[in-house]
Amino acid sequence: MSDLYLSRIRNWFLSSPPAEWALKGLRETLIGALKQGPIPRHVAFVMDGNRRYARSHKIETIEGHHLGFEALARVLEICYKCGVEVVTVYAFSIENFNRPQYEVDGLMELAKVKLEQLIQHGEVLERYGASVRVLGERDLLSDDVLEVVDRAVSTTKNNKKCILNICFPYTSREEMTTAIRSTVEEYSKSSAPKSTPFSQTRITQKIMSKQGGKSEKSESGNSSSGQEPTHNPTESDDNEDSMSSTTTLYPDSPGRVSKHGSNNVTIYPNAENITAETIDKHLYTADCPPLDVFVRTSGVERLSDFMLWQCHQDTQMFFLECFWPEFGLWHFLPVLLEWQWRQKKKAMEERPRQRVKTA
């Protein structure tokens, strides 16, 4: 008896009214029990294994992706019902454009259809107040896909309780590159407070003016005395230190002080103030809580250029053997239970340290 035949029998049984009623009651009980403990605020999924699931069940590849979107709907309801605030899913990598063109076209068409369904029949998003955000390189999407993407985002923009981040098309390297580029642009613009008035042009002009002043002074000294000039380090250094930066600039210098005392110096933010938090503010997930749980299906144990920056020392990673179309509550339940257990263990380890500090 083939796996596909057994899968169909199982699906038929689970879709029967008595089984649905029993499973719904059990699901509600389990989720209610989970909510008694801590719940992760931000969960990310690598939805991997759609193609292998399709091959193993002898169905078309695009049908495997279709089942993957159905699994996403199930997972979203489980997450939001448990109390997860942000769900981030890896829907399409920029590297996926290297796949056969027919598959890329099929995925784009499927994305349009599913986003349309979110707009027209977004009961899950409306019920839990979830807004859709599409993160990635928009320039790589065709106009017809962009139109649907923008409608899905605008339709749910007033939902403020939860967030669904759809990374499409996305790579973490591209996100970090964009964040660094925007940080550089921000720190290249003029700003007033908490900054230094030294631009590259100003520093260059100051050095050139000092060098020009020294050479003129040396030439005049040689011509008047006919002797080699003697260098007094103390006097020279004192003169340089006391030298006004405005009097050594050329007349048209942007940093020149006017006769009326007004200084039109261009102010630039201090690049030394750039920290990891500065980069955080320019990421696609800038206003999202830190990533708590990272889940990847299909048994592959790698990040695949997804959420590389967001994964930190407290992010817990789970690599599951099931394919994404198979993923559901019974796979997610052990993940949440283990995360809660680790949180409890971490809290117990921190208590003795807090007692030592207070003592």
Side-chain angles (χ1 to χ4, degrees), residues 274-317:
I274 297 176
T275 62
E277 288 72 22
T278 309
I279 305 298
D280 279 337
K281 295 176 182 178
H282 292 85
L283 294 172
Y284 296 145
T285 57
D287 56 347
C288 296
L291 182 62
D292 295 311
V293 176
F294 181 101
V295 178
R296 177 166 187 158
T297 54
S298 81
V300 177
E301 298 185 5
R302 62 173 182 266
L303 302 185
S304 294
D305 212 350
F306 178 58
M307 305 290 281
L308 299 183
W309 181 277
Q310 289 84 352
C311 290
H312 54 90
Q313 68 273 14
D314 293 325
T315 301
Q316 298 179 20
M317 300 184 179

mmCIF file of all heavy atoms in Angstrom, residues 274-317:
data_model
loop_
_atom_site.group_PDB
_atom_site.id
_atom_site.type_symbol
_atom_site.label_atom_id
_atom_site.label_comp_id
_atom_site.label_asym_id
_atom_site.label_seq_id
_atom_site.Cartn_x
_atom_site.Cartn_y
_atom_site.Cartn_z
ATOM 1 N N ILE A 274 28.065 54.511 15.719
ATOM 2 C CA ILE A 274 27.363 53.399 15.076
ATOM 3 C C ILE A 274 27.567 52.125 15.886
ATOM 4 O O ILE A 274 28.698 51.736 16.181
ATOM 5 C CB ILE A 274 27.858 53.197 13.636
ATOM 6 C CG1 ILE A 274 27.545 54.432 12.781
ATOM 7 C CG2 ILE A 274 27.219 51.964 13.017
ATOM 8 C CD1 ILE A 274 28.073 54.354 11.372
ATOM 9 N N THR A 275 26.485 51.475 16.261
ATOM 10 C CA THR A 275 26.526 50.238 17.028
ATOM 11 C C THR A 275 25.650 49.188 16.343
ATOM 12 O O THR A 275 25.043 49.448 15.304
ATOM 13 C CB THR A 275 26.020 50.470 18.464
ATOM 14 O OG1 THR A 275 24.640 50.899 18.401
ATOM 15 C CG2 THR A 275 26.845 51.540 19.177
ATOM 16 N N ALA A 276 25.596 48.017 16.951
ATOM 17 C CA ALA A 276 24.710 46.970 16.424
ATOM 18 C C ALA A 276 23.258 47.425 16.461
ATOM 19 O O ALA A 276 22.470 47.093 15.569
ATOM 20 C CB ALA A 276 24.888 45.685 17.231
ATOM 21 N N GLU A 277 22.910 48.202 17.479
ATOM 22 C CA GLU A 277 21.536 48.716 17.562
ATOM 23 C C GLU A 277 21.229 49.676 16.414
ATOM 24 O O GLU A 277 20.095 49.757 15.949
ATOM 25 C CB GLU A 277 21.321 49.426 18.910
ATOM 26 C CG GLU A 277 21.244 48.506 20.116
ATOM 27 C CD GLU A 277 22.584 47.906 20.483
ATOM 28 O OE1 GLU A 277 23.632 48.499 20.098
ATOM 29 O OE2 GLU A 277 22.606 46.849 21.143
ATOM 30 N N THR A 278 22.258 50.407 15.951
ATOM 31 C CA THR A 278 22.067 51.300 14.806
ATOM 32 C C THR A 278 21.693 50.510 13.561
ATOM 33 O O THR A 278 20.786 50.883 12.818
ATOM 34 C CB THR A 278 23.351 52.105 14.543
ATOM 35 O OG1 THR A 278 23.790 52.723 15.749
ATOM 36 C CG2 THR A 278 23.107 53.171 13.487
ATOM 37 N N ILE A 279 22.392 49.395 13.341
ATOM 38 C CA ILE A 279 22.080 48.542 12.192
ATOM 39 C C ILE A 279 20.687 47.931 12.359
ATOM 40 O O ILE A 279 19.924 47.818 11.392
ATOM 41 C CB ILE A 279 23.129 47.435 12.029
ATOM 42 C CG1 ILE A 279 24.541 48.031 11.942
ATOM 43 C CG2 ILE A 279 22.842 46.582 10.803
ATOM 44 C CD1 ILE A 279 24.763 48.931 10.759
ATOM 45 N N ASP A 280 20.348 47.541 13.590
ATOM 46 C CA ASP A 280 19.019 46.975 13.862
ATOM 47 C C ASP A 280 17.903 47.891 13.365
ATOM 48 O O ASP A 280 16.897 47.431 12.823
ATOM 49 C CB ASP A 280 18.839 46.745 15.374
ATOM 50 C CG ASP A 280 19.488 45.454 15.831
ATOM 51 O OD1 ASP A 280 19.675 44.553 14.994
ATOM 52 O OD2 ASP A 280 19.825 45.357 17.022
ATOM 53 N N LYS A 281 18.081 49.183 13.560
ATOM 54 C CA LYS A 281 17.037 50.147 13.212
ATOM 55 C C LYS A 281 16.818 50.260 11.708
ATOM 56 O O LYS A 281 15.811 50.826 11.277
ATOM 57 C CB LYS A 281 17.388 51.522 13.789
ATOM 58 C CG LYS A 281 17.396 51.565 15.309
ATOM 59 C CD LYS A 281 17.851 52.923 15.814
ATOM 60 C CE LYS A 281 17.906 52.944 17.344
ATOM 61 N NZ LYS A 281 18.405 54.245 17.856
ATOM 62 N N HIS A 282 17.764 49.742 10.910
ATOM 63 C CA HIS A 282 17.649 49.843 9.464
ATOM 64 C C HIS A 282 17.316 48.501 8.804
ATOM 65 O O HIS A 282 17.293 48.405 7.583
ATOM 66 C CB HIS A 282 18.949 50.395 8.867
ATOM 67 C CG HIS A 282 19.215 51.828 9.230
ATOM 68 N ND1 HIS A 282 19.835 52.186 10.401
ATOM 69 C CD2 HIS A 282 18.921 52.991 8.588
ATOM 70 C CE1 HIS A 282 19.932 53.502 10.453
ATOM 71 N NE2 HIS A 282 19.381 54.013 9.377
ATOM 72 N N LEU A 283 17.076 47.463 9.615
ATOM 73 C CA LEU A 283 16.703 46.169 9.064
ATOM 74 C C LEU A 283 15.218 46.155 8.704
ATOM 75 O O LEU A 283 14.436 46.998 9.152
ATOM 76 C CB LEU A 283 16.995 45.058 10.079
ATOM 77 C CG LEU A 283 18.468 44.804 10.435
ATOM 78 C CD1 LEU A 283 18.567 43.821 11.587
ATOM 79 C CD2 LEU A 283 19.239 44.287 9.227
ATOM 80 N N TYR A 284 14.825 45.158 7.910
ATOM 81 C CA TYR A 284 13.405 44.999 7.574
ATOM 82 C C TYR A 284 12.572 44.746 8.831
ATOM 83 O O TYR A 284 11.407 45.122 8.892
ATOM 84 C CB TYR A 284 13.208 43.830 6.613
ATOM 85 C CG TYR A 284 13.857 43.999 5.260
ATOM 86 C CD1 TYR A 284 14.394 42.909 4.581
ATOM 87 C CD2 TYR A 284 13.925 45.251 4.640
ATOM 88 C CE1 TYR A 284 14.979 43.047 3.333
ATOM 89 C CE2 TYR A 284 14.511 45.400 3.397
ATOM 90 C CZ TYR A 284 15.039 44.294 2.744
ATOM 91 O OH TYR A 284 15.609 44.438 1.517
ATOM 92 N N THR A 285 13.172 44.077 9.825
ATOM 93 C CA THR A 285 12.451 43.702 11.052
ATOM 94 C C THR A 285 12.728 44.678 12.189
ATOM 95 O O THR A 285 12.745 44.288 13.353
ATOM 96 C CB THR A 285 12.866 42.284 11.480
ATOM 97 O OG1 THR A 285 14.297 42.240 11.650
ATOM 98 C CG2 THR A 285 12.473 41.252 10.437
ATOM 99 N N ALA A 286 12.942 45.945 11.857
ATOM 100 C CA ALA A 286 13.388 46.924 12.853
ATOM 101 C C ALA A 286 12.440 47.029 14.047
ATOM 102 O O ALA A 286 12.889 47.148 15.188
ATOM 103 C CB ALA A 286 13.550 48.287 12.187
ATOM 104 N N ASP A 287 11.134 47.015 13.802
ATOM 105 C CA ASP A 287 10.177 47.207 14.896
ATOM 106 C C ASP A 287 9.617 45.894 15.438
ATOM 107 O O ASP A 287 8.607 45.898 16.140
ATOM 108 C CB ASP A 287 9.025 48.108 14.424
ATOM 109 C CG ASP A 287 8.338 47.561 13.189
ATOM 110 O OD1 ASP A 287 8.889 46.637 12.568
ATOM 111 O OD2 ASP A 287 7.239 48.057 12.846
ATOM 112 N N CYS A 288 10.282 44.784 15.140
ATOM 113 C CA CYS A 288 9.836 43.477 15.638
ATOM 114 C C CYS A 288 10.643 43.082 16.876
ATOM 115 O O CYS A 288 11.801 43.478 17.016
ATOM 116 C CB CYS A 288 10.008 42.400 14.561
ATOM 117 S SG CYS A 288 8.982 42.659 13.094
ATOM 118 N N PRO A 289 10.059 42.289 17.766
ATOM 119 C CA PRO A 289 10.823 41.821 18.928
ATOM 120 C C PRO A 289 11.939 40.878 18.503
ATOM 121 O O PRO A 289 11.926 40.353 17.380
ATOM 122 C CB PRO A 289 9.761 41.097 19.772
ATOM 123 C CG PRO A 289 8.669 40.747 18.824
ATOM 124 C CD PRO A 289 8.664 41.813 17.783
ATOM 125 N N PRO A 290 12.923 40.646 19.371
ATOM 126 C CA PRO A 290 14.019 39.727 19.036
ATOM 127 C C PRO A 290 13.497 38.336 18.682
ATOM 128 O O PRO A 290 12.449 37.903 19.173
ATOM 129 C CB PRO A 290 14.863 39.697 20.319
ATOM 130 C CG PRO A 290 14.531 40.964 21.029
ATOM 131 C CD PRO A 290 13.100 41.258 20.701
ATOM 132 N N LEU A 291 14.242 37.654 17.826
ATOM 133 C CA LEU A 291 13.828 36.319 17.377
ATOM 134 C C LEU A 291 14.023 35.305 18.496
ATOM 135 O O LEU A 291 15.128 35.120 19.003
ATOM 136 C CB LEU A 291 14.646 35.915 16.145
ATOM 137 C CG LEU A 291 14.299 34.569 15.513
ATOM 138 C CD1 LEU A 291 12.861 34.573 15.017
ATOM 139 C CD2 LEU A 291 15.254 34.259 14.364
ATOM 140 N N ASP A 292 12.940 34.632 18.890
ATOM 141 C CA ASP A 292 12.994 33.644 19.976
ATOM 142 C C ASP A 292 13.194 32.228 19.454
ATOM 143 O O ASP A 292 13.983 31.462 20.020
ATOM 144 C CB ASP A 292 11.697 33.700 20.798
ATOM 145 C CG ASP A 292 11.526 35.024 21.508
ATOM 146 O OD1 ASP A 292 12.476 35.478 22.160
ATOM 147 O OD2 ASP A 292 10.433 35.622 21.404
ATOM 148 N N VAL A 293 12.472 31.869 18.390
ATOM 149 C CA VAL A 293 12.472 30.485 17.906
ATOM 150 C C VAL A 293 12.684 30.486 16.391
ATOM 151 O O VAL A 293 12.032 31.243 15.663
ATOM 152 C CB VAL A 293 11.148 29.766 18.255
ATOM 153 C CG1 VAL A 293 11.128 28.357 17.666
ATOM 154 C CG2 VAL A 293 10.955 29.708 19.769
ATOM 155 N N PHE A 294 13.583 29.619 15.949
ATOM 156 C CA PHE A 294 13.870 29.423 14.521
ATOM 157 C C PHE A 294 13.576 27.964 14.197
ATOM 158 O O PHE A 294 14.167 27.063 14.803
ATOM 159 C CB PHE A 294 15.337 29.769 14.241
ATOM 160 C CG PHE A 294 15.753 29.622 12.798
ATOM 161 C CD1 PHE A 294 15.865 30.728 11.979
ATOM 162 C CD2 PHE A 294 16.058 28.373 12.264
ATOM 163 C CE1 PHE A 294 16.267 30.600 10.661
ATOM 164 C CE2 PHE A 294 16.454 28.227 10.951
ATOM 165 C CZ PHE A 294 16.554 29.352 10.143
ATOM 166 N N VAL A 295 12.655 27.729 13.259
ATOM 167 C CA VAL A 295 12.237 26.367 12.918
ATOM 168 C C VAL A 295 12.491 26.119 11.443
ATOM 169 O O VAL A 295 12.109 26.948 10.596
ATOM 170 C CB VAL A 295 10.742 26.132 13.242
ATOM 171 C CG1 VAL A 295 10.323 24.724 12.824
ATOM 172 C CG2 VAL A 295 10.469 26.353 14.720
ATOM 173 N N ARG A 296 13.135 24.987 11.149
ATOM 174 C CA ARG A 296 13.292 24.577 9.756
ATOM 175 C C ARG A 296 12.861 23.123 9.616
ATOM 176 O O ARG A 296 13.263 22.264 10.411
ATOM 177 C CB ARG A 296 14.739 24.727 9.291
ATOM 178 C CG ARG A 296 14.917 24.228 7.859
ATOM 179 C CD ARG A 296 16.210 24.659 7.239
ATOM 180 N NE ARG A 296 16.246 24.303 5.817
ATOM 181 C CZ ARG A 296 17.011 24.867 4.922
ATOM 182 N NH1 ARG A 296 17.823 25.851 5.277
ATOM 183 N NH2 ARG A 296 16.985 24.481 3.660
ATOM 184 N N THR A 297 12.059 22.864 8.604
ATOM 185 C CA THR A 297 11.583 21.507 8.349
ATOM 186 C C THR A 297 12.459 20.815 7.305
ATOM 187 O O THR A 297 13.399 21.396 6.785
ATOM 188 C CB THR A 297 10.123 21.543 7.853
ATOM 189 O OG1 THR A 297 10.037 22.423 6.725
ATOM 190 C CG2 THR A 297 9.196 22.068 8.939
ATOM 191 N N SER A 298 12.155 19.559 7.038
ATOM 192 C CA SER A 298 12.785 18.691 6.024
ATOM 193 C C SER A 298 14.114 18.102 6.454
ATOM 194 O O SER A 298 14.784 17.441 5.666
ATOM 195 C CB SER A 298 12.977 19.442 4.689
ATOM 196 O OG SER A 298 14.132 20.252 4.704
ATOM 197 N N GLY A 299 14.526 18.303 7.708
ATOM 198 C CA GLY A 299 15.740 17.667 8.209
ATOM 199 C C GLY A 299 17.034 18.350 7.826
ATOM 200 O O GLY A 299 18.111 17.885 8.217
ATOM 201 N N VAL A 300 16.985 19.430 7.075
ATOM 202 C CA VAL A 300 18.197 20.159 6.684
ATOM 203 C C VAL A 300 18.608 21.082 7.831
ATOM 204 O O VAL A 300 17.790 21.846 8.342
ATOM 205 C CB VAL A 300 17.955 20.978 5.401
ATOM 206 C CG1 VAL A 300 19.182 21.784 5.033
ATOM 207 C CG2 VAL A 300 17.569 20.042 4.261
ATOM 208 N N GLU A 301 19.874 21.023 8.221
ATOM 209 C CA GLU A 301 20.352 21.794 9.363
ATOM 210 C C GLU A 301 21.271 22.923 8.906
ATOM 211 O O GLU A 301 22.482 22.891 9.101
ATOM 212 C CB GLU A 301 21.068 20.880 10.356
ATOM 213 C CG GLU A 301 20.169 19.809 10.946
ATOM 214 C CD GLU A 301 20.859 18.980 12.017
ATOM 215 O OE1 GLU A 301 22.016 19.318 12.365
ATOM 216 O OE2 GLU A 301 20.265 18.007 12.502
ATOM 217 N N ARG A 302 20.690 23.911 8.295
ATOM 218 C CA ARG A 302 21.421 25.126 7.923
ATOM 219 C C ARG A 302 20.433 26.285 7.851
ATOM 220 O O ARG A 302 19.225 26.078 7.724
ATOM 221 C CB ARG A 302 22.162 24.946 6.606
ATOM 222 C CG ARG A 302 21.293 24.677 5.390
ATOM 223 C CD ARG A 302 22.117 24.681 4.108
ATOM 224 N NE ARG A 302 21.283 24.480 2.926
ATOM 225 C CZ ARG A 302 21.047 23.317 2.352
ATOM 226 N NH1 ARG A 302 21.601 22.223 2.871
ATOM 227 N NH2 ARG A 302 20.284 23.230 1.286
ATOM 228 N N LEU A 303 20.970 27.512 7.887
ATOM 229 C CA LEU A 303 20.118 28.702 7.910
ATOM 230 C C LEU A 303 19.720 29.164 6.515
ATOM 231 O O LEU A 303 18.713 29.864 6.359
ATOM 232 C CB LEU A 303 20.830 29.845 8.648
ATOM 233 C CG LEU A 303 21.238 29.561 10.101
ATOM 234 C CD1 LEU A 303 21.819 30.812 10.733
ATOM 235 C CD2 LEU A 303 20.055 29.058 10.904
ATOM 236 N N SER A 304 20.522 28.823 5.507
ATOM 237 C CA SER A 304 20.210 29.172 4.113
ATOM 238 C C SER A 304 19.979 30.664 3.917
ATOM 239 O O SER A 304 19.029 31.076 3.255
ATOM 240 C CB SER A 304 18.995 28.374 3.619
ATOM 241 O OG SER A 304 19.303 27.004 3.552
ATOM 242 N N ASP A 305 20.862 31.477 4.529
ATOM 243 C CA ASP A 305 20.822 32.926 4.315
ATOM 244 C C ASP A 305 19.499 33.533 4.761
ATOM 245 O O ASP A 305 18.950 34.426 4.096
ATOM 246 C CB ASP A 305 21.077 33.243 2.833
ATOM 247 C CG ASP A 305 21.793 34.575 2.642
ATOM 248 O OD1 ASP A 305 21.917 35.314 3.634
ATOM 249 O OD2 ASP A 305 22.207 34.870 1.513
ATOM 250 N N PHE A 306 18.995 33.081 5.900
ATOM 251 C CA PHE A 306 17.724 33.573 6.427
ATOM 252 C C PHE A 306 17.900 34.003 7.870
ATOM 253 O O PHE A 306 18.370 33.219 8.702
ATOM 254 C CB PHE A 306 16.658 32.475 6.333
ATOM 255 C CG PHE A 306 15.314 32.865 6.894
ATOM 256 C CD1 PHE A 306 14.619 33.962 6.417
ATOM 257 C CD2 PHE A 306 14.726 32.113 7.901
ATOM 258 C CE1 PHE A 306 13.381 34.318 6.919
ATOM 259 C CE2 PHE A 306 13.480 32.449 8.420
ATOM 260 C CZ PHE A 306 12.813 33.557 7.928
ATOM 261 N N MET A 307 17.556 35.260 8.158
ATOM 262 C CA MET A 307 17.580 35.815 9.528
ATOM 263 C C MET A 307 18.949 35.647 10.190
ATOM 264 O O MET A 307 19.035 35.371 11.391
ATOM 265 C CB MET A 307 16.494 35.133 10.381
ATOM 266 C CG MET A 307 15.105 35.217 9.804
ATOM 267 S SD MET A 307 14.405 36.880 9.837
ATOM 268 C CE MET A 307 13.883 37.005 11.536
ATOM 269 N N LEU A 308 20.013 35.836 9.436
ATOM 270 C CA LEU A 308 21.359 35.669 9.998
ATOM 271 C C LEU A 308 21.644 36.714 11.072
ATOM 272 O O LEU A 308 22.248 36.409 12.102
ATOM 273 C CB LEU A 308 22.413 35.773 8.888
ATOM 274 C CG LEU A 308 22.340 34.745 7.761
ATOM 275 C CD1 LEU A 308 23.488 34.943 6.781
ATOM 276 C CD2 LEU A 308 22.368 33.326 8.316
ATOM 277 N N TRP A 309 21.245 37.945 10.834
ATOM 278 C CA TRP A 309 21.480 38.998 11.824
ATOM 279 C C TRP A 309 20.562 38.825 13.031
ATOM 280 O O TRP A 309 20.977 39.033 14.174
ATOM 281 C CB TRP A 309 21.248 40.370 11.177
ATOM 282 C CG TRP A 309 21.499 41.519 12.103
ATOM 283 C CD1 TRP A 309 20.646 42.043 13.030
ATOM 284 C CD2 TRP A 309 22.703 42.292 12.204
ATOM 285 N NE1 TRP A 309 21.226 43.092 13.699
ATOM 286 C CE2 TRP A 309 22.485 43.266 13.211
ATOM 287 C CE3 TRP A 309 23.923 42.255 11.535
ATOM 288 C CZ2 TRP A 309 23.465 44.204 13.560
ATOM 289 C CZ3 TRP A 309 24.900 43.205 11.882
ATOM 290 C CH2 TRP A 309 24.666 44.152 12.873
ATOM 291 N N GLN A 310 19.311 38.439 12.794
ATOM 292 C CA GLN A 310 18.328 38.380 13.883
ATOM 293 C C GLN A 310 18.587 37.224 14.842
ATOM 294 O O GLN A 310 18.138 37.257 15.990
ATOM 295 C CB GLN A 310 16.921 38.270 13.296
ATOM 296 C CG GLN A 310 16.411 39.529 12.622
ATOM 297 C CD GLN A 310 16.883 39.665 11.188
ATOM 298 O OE1 GLN A 310 17.709 38.892 10.720
ATOM 299 N NE2 GLN A 310 16.350 40.634 10.471
ATOM 300 N N CYS A 311 19.264 36.167 14.385
ATOM 301 C CA CYS A 311 19.581 35.047 15.279
ATOM 302 C C CYS A 311 20.653 35.477 16.276
ATOM 303 O O CYS A 311 21.757 35.871 15.877
ATOM 304 C CB CYS A 311 20.064 33.837 14.473
ATOM 305 S SG CYS A 311 18.788 33.051 13.487
ATOM 306 N N HIS A 312 20.340 35.412 17.555
ATOM 307 C CA HIS A 312 21.273 35.866 18.590
ATOM 308 C C HIS A 312 21.492 34.756 19.601
ATOM 309 O O HIS A 312 21.059 33.604 19.396
ATOM 310 C CB HIS A 312 20.733 37.138 19.264
ATOM 311 C CG HIS A 312 19.339 36.985 19.793
ATOM 312 N ND1 HIS A 312 19.055 36.555 21.066
ATOM 313 C CD2 HIS A 312 18.132 37.197 19.195
ATOM 314 C CE1 HIS A 312 17.755 36.531 21.248
ATOM 315 N NE2 HIS A 312 17.161 36.905 20.129
ATOM 316 N N GLN A 313 22.153 35.095 20.705
ATOM 317 C CA GLN A 313 22.547 34.051 21.658
ATOM 318 C C GLN A 313 21.363 33.379 22.346
ATOM 319 O O GLN A 313 21.480 32.252 22.831
ATOM 320 C CB GLN A 313 23.487 34.629 22.727
ATOM 321 C CG GLN A 313 22.845 35.629 23.689
ATOM 322 C CD GLN A 313 22.878 37.042 23.166
ATOM 323 O OE1 GLN A 313 23.145 37.244 21.977
ATOM 324 N NE2 GLN A 313 22.623 38.015 24.025
ATOM 325 N N ASP A 314 20.208 34.037 22.365
ATOM 326 C CA ASP A 314 19.030 33.451 23.013
ATOM 327 C C ASP A 314 18.041 32.832 22.024
ATOM 328 O O ASP A 314 16.993 32.330 22.432
ATOM 329 C CB ASP A 314 18.308 34.522 23.843
ATOM 330 C CG ASP A 314 19.141 34.978 25.037
ATOM 331 O OD1 ASP A 314 19.851 34.126 25.610
ATOM 332 O OD2 ASP A 314 19.105 36.172 25.381
ATOM 333 N N THR A 315 18.352 32.885 20.730
ATOM 334 C CA THR A 315 17.477 32.261 19.739
ATOM 335 C C THR A 315 17.654 30.738 19.792
ATOM 336 O O THR A 315 18.772 30.238 19.730
ATOM 337 C CB THR A 315 17.810 32.750 18.318
ATOM 338 O OG1 THR A 315 17.658 34.165 18.264
ATOM 339 C CG2 THR A 315 16.883 32.113 17.296
ATOM 340 N N GLN A 316 16.556 30.031 19.906
ATOM 341 C CA GLN A 316 16.608 28.571 19.969
ATOM 342 C C GLN A 316 16.183 27.997 18.618
ATOM 343 O O GLN A 316 15.138 28.376 18.085
ATOM 344 C CB GLN A 316 15.711 28.060 21.096
ATOM 345 C CG GLN A 316 16.179 28.556 22.466
ATOM 346 C CD GLN A 316 15.317 28.087 23.598
ATOM 347 O OE1 GLN A 316 14.584 27.107 23.467
ATOM 348 N NE2 GLN A 316 15.382 28.770 24.731
ATOM 349 N N MET A 317 17.024 27.117 18.085
ATOM 350 C CA MET A 317 16.817 26.577 16.749
ATOM 351 C C MET A 317 16.350 25.134 16.798
ATOM 352 O O MET A 317 16.863 24.340 17.595
ATOM 353 C CB MET A 317 18.109 26.688 15.933
ATOM 354 C CG MET A 317 18.589 28.108 15.762
ATOM 355 S SD MET A 317 20.040 28.207 14.695
ATOM 356 C CE MET A 317 20.308 29.987 14.701
#
